[in-house]
């Protein structure tokens, strides 16, 4: 039997999703949800963000959540940090991975974090120096495929940013389609360039499903040799500085598609669906996920009485 190709699914709902919800999700509920997600076989969970509580009130409980979750062996527990102070707080909670973030677009970076790209890179260097070998460093390139303010983002600009990351000793890079503008051809071409130039770089793709292109873009990245993808339970998420951007690609929908195609995600779909079905009550509204509503493709229905015996 041919061995199935491994694909690593990285959950971001409890950070990327919860941070923009109108309703604060209680700390205990976050912890329970993360613990349940950790037991499904996900490769990584981005737990929280160590930023100012004034900036993101929904994640003001970062220390409490990160310190109290159960650490499932084999699962990487990551946190987003904006600066050295955030990194210090995260390392005090023994995070496995520090995730840095900035935009390839100058305008989006200014709108999102009030810094120019050069200022962000200066912060990255300070965080890299402070972190040393205490945790893995991953850096995201937001608006890697296009900006809602500037339009096209040249691929060469993205490549230059990645080179700056690599020069700092950053081990992982996430290419983010922050506004859901990417198309499969664009995704494949950029991913091939990155993989060919830095074959040992840990590369993650982060897609939004704003224009129903999320899963097609996952397939395009797979064809270029990418095997790590961010996803959000129920399709939660979005960016407050990306007008019209809906949530991330839905975790359970991605797992369902990949498993149906013969890939090995390492994720148990049914327990994942059970957790996803709790989300509407947790966040107080319906969520975009499809498979949690329709059931997996293996679902079977009773034969109608009208056709029995025919």
């Amino acid at each position: 039997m041919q061995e199935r190709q491994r694909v690593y699914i990285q959950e971001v709902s409890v950070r990327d999703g919860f941070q923009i919800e109108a309703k604060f999700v209680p700390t205990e509920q976050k912890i329970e949800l993360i613990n349940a997600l950790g037991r499904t076989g996900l490769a990584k969970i981005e737990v929280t963000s160590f930023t100012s509580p004034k900036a993101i009130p929904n994640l003001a409980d970062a220390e409490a959540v990160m310190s109290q979750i159960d650490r499932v062996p084999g699962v990487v527990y990551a946190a987003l940090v904006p600066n050295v102070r955030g990194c210090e707080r995260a390392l005090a909670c023994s995070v496995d991975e520090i995730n840095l973030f900035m935009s390839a677009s100058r305008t989006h970076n200014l709108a999102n974090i009030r810094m120019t790209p050069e200022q962000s890179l200066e912060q990255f260097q300070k965080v890299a120096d402070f972190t040393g070998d205490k945790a893995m460093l991953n850096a995201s390139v937001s608006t890697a495929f296009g900006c809602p303010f500037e339009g096209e983002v040249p691929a060469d600009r993205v490549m230059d940013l990645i080179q700056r990351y690599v020069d700092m000793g950053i081990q992982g890079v996430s290419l983010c389609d922050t506004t859901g503008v990417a198309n499969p051809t664009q995704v494949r071409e950029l991913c091939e360039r990155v993989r060919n130039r830095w074959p040992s770089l840990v590369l993650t793709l982060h897609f939004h499903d704003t224009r129903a292109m999320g899963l097609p873009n996952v397939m395009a990245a797979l064809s270029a040799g990418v095997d790590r993808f961010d996803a959000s339970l129920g399709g939660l998420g979005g960016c407050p500085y990306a007008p019209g951007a809906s949530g991330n690609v839905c975790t359970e929908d991605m797992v369902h598609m990949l498993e149906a195609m013969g890939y090995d995600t390492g994720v148990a779909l049914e327990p994942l669906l059970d957790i996803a079905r709790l989300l509407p009550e947790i966040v107080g509204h319906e969520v975009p996920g499809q498979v949690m509503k329709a059931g997996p493709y293996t679902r079977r229905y009773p034969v109608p009485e009208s056709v029995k015996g025919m």
Side-chain angles (χ1 to χ4, degrees), residues 97-298:
E97 179 180 292
I98 297 290
N99 193 12
L100 301 164
F101 61 99
M102 65 171 288
S103 302
S105 154
R106 185 178 189 277
T107 307
H108 188 269
N109 209 59
L110 286 167
N112 194 28
I113 54 178
R114 301 294 189 269
M115 286 193 285
T116 66
E118 281 301 322
Q119 288 171 325
S120 287
L121 288 168
E122 290 173 9
Q123 287 287 343
F124 279 25
Q125 186 65 67
K126 291 176 182 178
V127 171
D129 292 342
F130 183 83
T131 302
D133 60 359
K134 300 182 188 73
M136 180 175 170
L137 279 174
N138 185 83
S140 295
V141 184
S142 298
T143 64
F145 300 94
C147 170
F149 309 111
E150 298 178 14
E152 180 183 357
V153 171
D156 285 347
R157 187 188 304 171
V158 176
M159 298 293 285
D160 289 344
L161 279 176
I162 296 174
Q163 184 63 63
R164 298 284 293 273
Y165 294 177
V166 172
D167 291 344
M168 293 180 200
I170 292 170
Q171 304 103 315
V173 171
S174 298
L175 299 179
C176 305
D177 182 26
T178 312
T179 59
V181 297
N183 67 73
T185 298
Q186 179 189 22
V187 168
R188 186 182 65 253
E189 290 175 353
L190 182 56
C191 289
E192 286 176 347
R193 286 187 65 180
V194 175
R195 293 249 50 86
N196 289 337
R197 185 164 170 181
W198 299 284
S200 62
L201 187 69
V202 180
L203 181 62
T204 295
L205 268 291
H206 178 108
F207 294 118
H208 285 241
D209 206 30
T210 311
R211 295 168 179 84
M213 298 282 264
L215 291 179
N217 285 333
V218 168
M219 295 309 304
L222 278 168
S223 73
V226 177
D227 61 3
R228 293 178 183 274
F229 297 91
D230 285 347
S232 181
L233 192 73
L236 290 180
C239 176
Y241 298 104
S246 59
N248 300 58
V249 174
C250 176
T251 307
E252 62 272 19
D253 292 357
M254 185 191 297
V255 169
H256 176 263
M257 179 188 77
L258 293 173
E259 290 285 341
M261 295 178 68
Y263 290 94
D264 174 18
T265 65
V267 179
L269 180 60
E270 287 299 338
L272 190 68
L273 288 171
D274 289 340
I275 301 167
R277 293 183 183 111
L278 301 174
L279 276 181
E281 183 176 351
I282 291 173
V283 297
H285 61 79
E286 287 299 313
V287 298
Q290 296 298 305
V291 179
M292 62 179 285
K293 301 164 188 171
Y297 76 97
T298 52

Side-chain angles (χ1 to χ4, degrees), residues 18-75:
F18 286 174
Q19 72 175 7
I20 64 168
E21 287 294 326
K23 175 184 175 182
F24 177 81
V25 177
T27 302
E28 296 76 13
Q29 208 162 29
K30 288 175 184 161
I31 292 168
E32 290 175 4
L33 184 64
I34 293 164
N35 289 345
L37 288 167
R39 292 189 288 269
T40 65
L42 292 162
K44 182 192 298 184
I45 300 174
E46 191 173 59
V47 174
T48 190
S49 176
F50 286 87
T51 190
S52 166
K54 292 181 180 178
I56 307 180
N58 283 356
L59 302 181
D61 54 0
E63 275 91 352
V65 174
M66 185 62 78
S67 299
Q68 295 178 47
I69 56 173
D70 296 334
R71 300 292 185 95
V72 177
V75 179

